[in-house]
Amino acid sequence: KGDRIFIERIDISGNTATLDRVLRRQFFIAEGDPFNPREIKAAADRIRALGLFSDTSVDTRLGSKNSQIVIDVKVEEKPTGSLTFGAGYSSQAGLGALIEYGERNFLGRGQNLSFAINTGKNDQLYEVSFFEPMFLRNDLGFGLNLSVKDTKQQNAAYDTANLQFQPFVVYPLGERSKIKIDY
C-alpha cells in the first residue's frame, strides 16, 4: 500500500468547437479528489461515446508534487452536422422535395438540434427537434419535438392539419440504461 494520490487538475486540449464543460461533465471526479484509475478509464469511454470526436486520449502524468496527478484529455473534433437535400416524383403524390439539417453539437454545448421540411403536391411536413442531455446541469435530459403536417386529400371531402408538440425527459437508470418519458 502506497501514498494516497490526488487529482491536481484536468487539462483539456484540442476542442475547438466543443465547450470544456461538455468534456468535464463526463468525469464523475474533480480536482482534489483521490485518484481512481477505473474512473478515469470510464470517463474516457464516456467521452468516446459522445460521438463528437474522431480521436480521443486520456492520459495521466505526475503533478507538481509526488502525491498529485494531472489528467491530460486530448481530443480531435469531427464534423457533427449534416445537411440533406432530396427530390422525388410519384404519380400519386407528384413532385416532392426534402430539406433536412441536423447538428449533434449545437453551439459546442453537446445539444442536438434538427429540422426538416418535406413537401409534396398535396402535403407539407415541417419538423423541429431539440435535445439538451444535461438539463439544469444534472443527468436529466430534456427534449422537445414540434411538427406541423398539412394534407390536402384528393379523394376526401376534408383536408387535415396536425400540430404535434412533444416534450420529453430522459433519465439514466444505470450506467448503460435510460428511461424516456414523453407527452
Side-chain angles (χ1 to χ4, degrees):
K1 190 170 184 176
D3 294 335
R4 294 202 41 135
I5 300 175
F6 296 93
I7 298 171
E8 182 177 347
R9 68 178 184 274
I10 301 172
D11 291 339
I12 299 173
S13 63
N15 54 327
T16 55
T18 305
L19 299 176
D20 278 0
R21 72 175 185 219
V22 173
L23 294 163
R24 287 187 186 279
R25 69 185 178 204
Q26 303 308 315
F27 286 90
F28 296 161
I29 54 174
E31 287 90 351
D33 287 350
F35 175 65
N36 182 349
R38 189 175 312 155
E39 178 52 41
I40 304 300
K41 183 181 179 324
D45 292 341
R46 285 190 292 271
I47 290 171
R48 282 186 207 93
L50 289 174
L52 304 177
F53 309 104
S54 61
D55 187 30
T56 62
S57 69
V58 178
D59 299 312
T60 58
R61 62 182 165 89
L62 194 59
S64 60
K65 299 177 187 173
N66 286 341
S67 63
Q68 293 181 331
I69 291 287
V70 174
I71 301 170
D72 288 322
V73 179
K74 293 180 180 132
V75 295
E76 186 177 317
E77 303 269 358
K78 74 177 182 180
T80 56
S82 65
L83 182 62
T84 305
F85 297 100
Y89 177 80
S90 75
S91 60
Q92 182 181 7
L95 185 63
L98 167 72
I99 300 172
E100 290 182 349
Y101 172 76
E103 176 62 52
R104 291 185 335 224
N105 192 12
F106 184 62
L107 299 177
R109 296 179 175 162
Q111 302 166 335
N112 294 339
L113 175 70
S114 66
F115 69 85
I117 300 171
N118 193 349
T119 64
K121 178 178 146 186
N122 295 318
D123 56 346
Q124 290 82 34
L125 175 64
Y126 306 96
E127 296 177 306
V128 176
S129 179
F130 176 79
F131 179 66
E132 166 60 62
M134 292 294 217
F135 186 63
L136 300 175
R137 297 195 185 264
N138 60 25
D139 288 343
L140 182 68
F142 174 76
L144 183 64
N145 295 326
L146 178 65
S147 66
V148 176
K149 184 174 184 178
D150 186 24
T151 304
K152 294 175 180 41
Q153 303 290 336
Q154 291 180 336
N155 300 324
Y158 59 89
D159 295 337
T160 61
N162 295 328
L163 173 66
Q164 179 183 6
F165 176 78
Q166 179 189 25
F168 62 92
V169 292
V170 177
Y171 188 77
L173 296 175
E175 183 76 24
R176 293 183 181 5
S177 62
K178 296 179 180 181
I179 185 169
K180 178 182 176 183
I181 302 169
D182 59 4
Y183 176 75

